Structure formats: structure tokens, C-alpha cells
Amino acid sequence: PPAVFSNPAEGPHWPPVLRFERRNGKPTTVVFTDLVDHADPVAWASELKKRCSVGGSADATSILLQGDVRTKVEDWAKAKGLKTKRIGG
């Protein structure tokens, strides 16, 4: 993967990647945060779960949200000044 820059002046800013998946037949939205500068997946997961009114979990590189909430996540990211990239589904 490309290098992650802590200072935006050092290099490009990578957007959070949104992916729609089905796990055990249930729809899920996965937000990959491993290439995002200054990302705190645990704090972001808490905000997103409250904003989208869904359950979910977070680890060091991604956030898993129950249901197809990609549009709500994109709106949340836009409000924080981030662009997103959709992959799959």
C-alpha cells in the first residue's frame, strides 16, 4: 500500500474507502481507514453508529457497520471535510 503521511503537506490525502458486503447473508458496510491521515477508527465508529442508528465494531484499520448505510457515511464524511470512495455493490 502507499505510504501514509501524517502531515498533509508531505503527500497525498487518501479518502476513506466504503465497501458494501454481505456477511452471513446480512448487509454490512465496511469503512477502511488504514490509509487516512489522522483517522481514529474507534472514535469514528462511535460517531457513525450513533449517526446511522446501527450497531457495529471497529479495529485498527476498519469500521464495520450493520446494514447498507453508505449514503449516511458519505454525508458524515462530507460534513467532516473528507471525500469518500465507494467500492463494490
Side-chain angles (χ1 to χ4, degrees), residues 36-69:
V36 181
D37 297 334
H38 310 294
D40 182 4
V42 176
W44 283 14
S46 179
E47 278 185 58
L48 285 168
K49 290 190 298 184
K50 288 176 188 172
R51 180 162 181 151
C52 299
S53 301
V54 297
S57 62
D59 62 18
T61 61
S62 64
I63 301 168
L64 180 70
L65 300 169
Q66 296 173 353
D68 185 4
V69 292

Side-chain angles (χ1 to χ4, degrees), residues 1-6 11-17 31-41 44 60-62 82-83 85 87:
V4 177
F5 300 98
S6 60
H13 178 74
W14 301 99
V17 175
V31 182
F32 294 99
T33 60
D34 53 342
L35 297 177
V36 181
D37 297 334
H38 310 294
D40 182 4
W44 283 14
T61 61
S62 64
L82 297 170
K83 293 182 180 180
K85 182 175 181 181
I87 294 181

